[in-house]
Amino acid sequence: MAITLEEMKVGMADHISQNVVDTFQRQSEILSILPFDDAVAVGGVGSTMTYGYLQTKTPSVAGFRAINEEYKANHETLEKKSVELKVLGGSFEIDRVMAKAQGIHNTVDYQMTSKIKGVVGQFHNAMINGDSLQNEKEFDGLDKMLVGTDTEYNTEAEIDLSTHEKVKANAATFYETLNEMLLKTGANAVLVNTAMKAKLTTIANYLGYMTKSEDAFGRQVSKINNIPIIDLGNVAVLENDKAVTREVIATKAGITELYAIRLDANSGFCGVTLTGNNGIDYFLPDFKQSKTVHSGSVEFVGAVALKNTNAAGVIRNIKIK
C-alpha cells in the first residue's frame, strides 16, 4: 500500500515525530508528493531490506485477424527488479553549556532542521545520480535507470537555450520534445535545477503554457501544462573534509538535463520505505546525562523504484549557459 509523508505524519503518535516528518516536507517539494510503497519489513533472523517488483518493459499488442486465422500471440514483457533500501542520515553535537545559552545556532531544533535539509539534499541527489555500482551505500537513480530507454531524449544533439535570443528561436523545438516526453510518460512532475527552471518558466510564459498555484506549505509552484516544475536544488558534500554544495542536476560546460516522472506506486515512479511509520526516525540529545557534549541524529530508510520504463524520461544536452 502506498503512503505519502503526509499520511506517515498523521499516523505518528507523538508531536516530535510529526514535526520531523513535517520538516522533511517543508524542505522538499518532491518529497511532499512522492508516494512511498511501505512494503519492506525488517525483523527476525534472515530479514533483508530488499524490495522486489515487476517492471513493465513492453506492452501487450492486439490486432485484427482474418477468418480461420490465429492471432499472433504476444504478451506484455515484465522484468523482475529489486532495489535495496538504504540508510541515509546524519548526526550533530551540542555542548550542554551552549544548549543552555540557547543561541539560535545552538538549539536542538535548529540543528535538527539543518540536518534534515542535508538528508533531503542527499536523497534528491541519489534519486537522480545514484549508482549502487559506484557506491554500494546508495540506491540507483533516474540518470542510470533511463539510459537506453525510449524516453531518453536528445542524447546526441544539443538544444541551445543559452541566451534570450536562443530561447526565442528554439522555444518551439524544445517544447515539442518536452511535450512528447510529458505525453509519453504521463508525467505529473518535472525535475530541474535552478537555471533550467528559469529557462523553462520563460519558455512556458513565452508560449502561453505557464500556470501557478500554492501548495499546502504556502510555496509558489510554477507549472507547465499544469505539471509542477520542481527545482531539486543543491546537495552538501564533503570534499577534503570541507563541506561544499553542488547542484543535484548538474550543469557542466553550460549543458544540463531535465527529468519528468509519473508518480504512481503501482505502475510509475515511487519511493520505497519500511512498513508503517518506520521510514523516518530521530534521536534527540539527552542533556540529563553527565556528558558535556551530547549528540542527536535523524535517519531515513528508503530508495526509489521505476515500475514502468515509460513512467519517466530525460532530455539531455540542454545548453543553458
Side-chain angles (χ1 to χ4, degrees):
M1 180 180 120
I3 187 172
T4 62
L5 291 193
E6 181 64 27
E7 292 165 333
M8 185 186 295
K9 180 173 66 178
V10 171
M12 291 177 164
D14 65 279
H15 290 304
I16 296 179
S17 296
Q18 292 175 344
N19 287 337
V20 168
V21 176
D22 186 78
T23 304
F24 270 87
Q25 293 176 278
R26 291 180 184 277
Q27 293 292 333
S28 172
E29 288 183 61
I30 189 63
L31 282 175
S32 296
I33 59 176
L34 182 67
F36 284 87
D37 193 350
D38 59 334
V40 180
V42 178
V45 178
S47 63
T48 69
M49 293 203 297
T50 302
Y51 175 78
Y53 63 99
L54 293 176
Q55 183 184 73
T56 302
K57 304 291 285 187
T58 58
S60 180
V61 178
F64 295 96
R65 72 171 180 87
I67 300 298
N68 296 323
E69 179 186 27
E70 293 292 339
Y71 289 112
K72 185 176 181 180
N74 69 85
H75 57 276
E76 184 173 85
T77 302
L78 300 173
E79 183 177 336
K80 288 183 178 180
K81 292 277 189 176
S82 65
V83 61
E84 294 289 326
L85 269 62
K86 304 297 183 177
V87 183
L88 170 62
S91 61
F92 58 90
E93 293 181 332
I94 300 179
D95 188 289
R96 64 189 181 192
V97 173
M98 299 307 295
K100 288 179 181 179
Q102 288 295 296
I104 185 170
H105 297 292
N106 301 314
T107 64
V108 173
D109 180 67
Y110 178 87
Q111 293 296 334
M112 182 64 77
T113 299
S114 298
K115 191 58 62 178
I116 291 173
K117 183 177 180 180
V119 172
V120 165
Q122 289 291 345
F123 183 86
H124 286 177
N125 188 59
M127 184 174 69
I128 298 297
N129 304 307
D131 187 341
S132 58
L133 292 180
Q134 297 295 321
N135 181 359
E136 63 181 12
K137 296 179 182 179
E138 65 185 16
F139 50 84
D140 291 335
L142 285 167
D143 180 54
K144 180 178 179 180
M145 292 178 182
L146 293 171
V147 172
T149 66
D150 291 339
T151 51
E152 183 185 28
Y153 290 84
N154 216 51
T155 56
E156 296 181 2
E158 181 182 284
I159 300 177
D160 193 346
L161 304 175
S162 58
T163 66
H164 184 65
E165 289 72 23
K166 292 294 185 181
V167 168
K168 289 176 66 176
N170 297 323
T173 300
F174 173 76
Y175 178 76
E176 184 176 7
T177 301
L178 173 63
N179 196 39
E180 179 183 328
M181 182 175 70
L182 296 178
L183 291 171
K184 192 167 186 176
T185 60
N188 46 21
V190 173
L191 310 178
V192 294
N193 61 27
T194 303
M196 187 65 235
K197 183 173 182 177
K199 297 289 184 182
L200 190 54
T201 53
T202 297
I203 290 171
N205 275 315
Y206 180 67
L207 298 177
Y209 298 122
M210 182 72 179
T211 56
K212 288 186 177 182
S213 65
E214 188 175 283
D215 70 8
F217 297 95
R219 293 176 295 216
Q220 289 294 315
V221 180
S222 299
K223 298 180 178 180
I224 185 167
N225 282 1
N226 210 34
I227 299 171
I229 306 168
I230 298 176
D231 178 4
L232 291 185
N234 298 323
V235 57
V237 296
L238 285 176
E239 292 183 0
N240 299 319
D241 294 325
K242 182 180 179 181
V244 297
T245 59
R246 65 185 186 204
E247 292 177 312
V248 169
I249 302 178
T251 300
K252 299 177 181 179
I255 303 294
T256 192
E257 299 174 334
L258 176 152
Y259 294 83
I261 51 177
R262 174 164 55 84
L263 302 172
D264 186 338
N266 295 314
S267 60
F269 180 78
C270 68
V272 187
T273 190
L274 300 176
T275 55
N277 304 318
N278 300 310
I280 295 176
D281 205 354
Y282 68 93
F283 303 89
L284 296 176
D286 183 1
F287 293 107
K288 292 182 180 180
Q289 294 184 13
S290 60
K291 298 189 304 180
T292 57
V293 179
H294 300 262
S295 63
S297 63
V298 62
E299 202 162 72
F300 175 65
V301 181
V304 294
L306 182 61
K307 295 188 174 181
N308 187 324
T309 55
N310 281 340
V314 58
I315 302 176
R316 305 199 188 273
N317 296 319
I318 308 171
K319 185 175 177 60
I320 58 173
K321 290 182 181 179

